[in-house]
Amino acid sequence: MIGKIFKNGILASVALAALASTAEAGGYSRGEADTDILFESGDFIFRAGATYVSPRRTFKTTGAGGAANNDGVYTNDYWVPSVAAKLTVSENFACALTYTQPFGADATYGPQARAAMVGLGKYSDKGFETNEYGATCDVKFDAGPGKFHFLGGVFLQDFTYDATNEGSGALPAGKFHLRDDGAFGYRIGAAYEITEYALRISLMYRSQVKHEADEGYYDFTPPLSNLPATGYGTLPQSLKLSVQTGVAPGWLVYGSVKWTDWSVLDALNYKIGTNPAQKDVYNWKDGWTIQAGVAHVFNEKLTGTVNLTWDSGVSTGADIHGDTITLGAGILAKVGPGDLRFGGGISRMASGSQSTLKHATFDATGGGGWAYGVTGSYKIAF
């Protein structure tokens, strides 16, 4: 039987989670909470890992005149951690604690890009980071030949934004900082699985989170005094449908479709001292991410997977975030007392353009580019 080949859910695990994220996710997406751990066998399971991503975005031209830009790569490399622990309370009830960084961005702008900027500042760098601390539980019961799962939980998400202004107009040189220590969100979902055929269909919803930073500041270069700063914005909700099934002994196919409500992030709104209210405008449209892949059990100690992911561009002209296509691969190996997972991905990013007429901070075109990512994790089950 197919189910015997998928002993202990090893193949299902590597197929759906060998790549913690694509090399370059859509919008500002980074990591996903590892709630798939709830479907894995074991009274107590602990898994920890990280993903390293190197996005290589460049500007082709900057400025109203379309001058060639030679600043080089402006998107910075980053890490995405992931930690998950599952505790089985009873035969039909289990909970998981998770940690990851779901959203983020980090850019350093060269002299040609800074010279093209308009507004209160010429920023040499901008970036934000979020941390998500979640708890999700799973209630399951028999339904026909398989089991039905009902999943739900809450999470706390914080938000930190930093930027460095080289000095322009009403704002002398200084560092801009915003922080929200945490806002709550929730996730809810359902799944049906037939272990004998390694079949699972799941649907998971993650709520949006509204952030308000009331105690920020603008740190001027001495001897000027700091100014208070406030800001607010909303990070998006999402809905993800995932499907997997065994198709032959040792073989499994899987796929997913995810919708992300990026249109809710129209801008990061902020105010520094008594200066007029400002915005980092995005005006994004909703995004779609579609993945398809296949996995194979080579032997009791080694399983492999390969997948292809398409992520729709979300830009409407305020930035150059276009489509990406990612080829990923991963392995799961029995090493020591647990399972070692390792994967990698390469993304091709489409070119795009932005315009001050569409609320960008400067006119620019992007030449496309490549992104690279590697991920690894280790799991121990008892």
Side-chain angles (χ1 to χ4, degrees):
M1 300 297 290
I2 290 177
K4 294 181 179 179
I5 303 297
F6 304 138
K7 186 179 180 181
N8 297 325
I10 290 176
L11 182 52
S13 172
V14 69
L16 291 178
L19 295 179
S21 67
T22 56
E24 176 66 355
Y28 288 145
S29 294
R30 287 195 172 176
E32 288 187 4
D34 184 7
T35 56
D36 280 342
I37 199 171
L38 287 165
F39 295 104
E40 298 181 28
S41 301
D43 292 335
F44 177 78
I45 306 173
F46 177 79
R47 178 160 53 224
T51 300
Y52 177 76
V53 180
S54 179
R56 313 294 292 173
R57 290 188 183 274
T58 61
F59 293 117
K60 185 176 181 180
T61 66
T62 48
N69 183 284
N70 300 306
D71 287 338
V73 174
Y74 69 90
T75 46
N76 298 326
D77 298 355
Y78 59 88
W79 287 91
V80 182
S82 177
V83 180
K86 171 195 170 183
L87 175 65
T88 299
V89 180
S90 69
E91 182 180 355
N92 296 315
F93 183 68
C95 291
L97 299 177
T98 57
Y99 164 72
T100 191
Q101 293 179 344
F103 305 107
D106 192 10
T108 300
Y109 299 105
Q112 290 174 290
R114 295 199 302 271
M117 292 179 183
V118 297
L120 284 181
K122 294 185 180 295
Y123 289 92
S124 59
D125 60 74
K126 287 184 178 182
F128 81 92
E129 182 178 278
T130 60
N131 293 282
E132 180 202 299
Y133 307 88
T136 306
C137 292
D138 171 30
V139 179
K140 63 182 178 180
F141 52 87
D142 293 336
K147 290 185 179 295
F148 181 84
H149 298 254
F150 178 77
L151 304 103
V154 297
F155 59 87
L156 177 71
Q157 179 176 289
D158 64 23
F159 173 88
T160 304
Y161 177 92
D162 289 285
T164 302
N165 182 13
E166 299 271 306
S168 173
L171 282 178
K175 292 185 177 295
F176 179 33
H177 175 80
L178 292 173
R179 179 170 177 80
D180 179 359
D181 288 332
F184 283 98
Y186 66 92
R187 56 172 46 90
I188 188 170
Y192 184 74
E193 66 175 348
I194 302 176
T195 305
E196 183 179 4
Y197 301 107
L199 171 68
R200 185 196 304 153
I201 303 172
S202 65
L203 185 67
M204 182 70 81
Y205 169 80
R206 184 187 190 275
S207 72
Q208 69 176 27
V209 178
K210 296 181 179 180
H211 287 289
E212 294 188 7
D214 297 325
E215 299 181 357
Y217 59 82
Y218 190 94
D219 186 4
F220 287 113
T221 302
L224 299 175
S225 299
N226 293 353
L227 286 177
T230 59
Y232 64 92
T234 301
L235 288 169
Q237 62 184 333
S238 62
L239 184 66
K240 184 176 183 179
L241 174 67
S242 302
V243 180
Q244 67 170 56
T245 184
V247 291
W251 290 92
L252 180 143
V253 294
Y254 60 94
S256 64
V257 178
K258 182 179 180 180
W259 166 79
T260 306
D261 184 21
W262 282 116
S263 59
V264 75
L265 184 62
D266 56 344
L268 171 66
N269 302 270
Y270 61 91
K271 184 174 176 60
I272 300 173
T274 59
N275 288 291
Q278 296 291 300
K279 293 183 177 184
D280 277 354
V281 176
Y282 309 111
N283 285 343
W284 281 350
K285 59 186 177 182
D286 292 353
W288 291 88
T289 305
I290 300 174
Q291 184 182 82
V294 61
H296 179 59
V297 174
F298 295 104
N299 53 54
E300 291 185 356
K301 291 184 177 294
L302 185 65
T303 302
T305 182
V306 62
N307 55 49
L308 188 66
T309 304
W310 170 77
D311 198 288
S312 67
V314 296
S315 174
T316 60
D319 58 41
I320 58 173
H321 280 73
D323 293 6
T324 62
I325 296 178
T326 300
L327 177 65
I331 61 170
L332 182 149
K334 301 290 291 184
V335 178
D339 297 335
L340 174 67
R341 299 188 308 183
F342 182 80
I346 179 171
S347 293
R348 178 59 182 172
M349 301 179 290
S351 59
S353 63
Q354 63 186 48
S355 167
T356 56
L357 295 176
K358 295 185 178 180
H359 307 289
T361 53
F362 59 97
D363 294 323
T365 61
W370 296 90
Y372 310 92
V374 293
T375 184
S377 68
Y378 193 76
K379 181 189 84 171
I380 297 178
F382 301 97

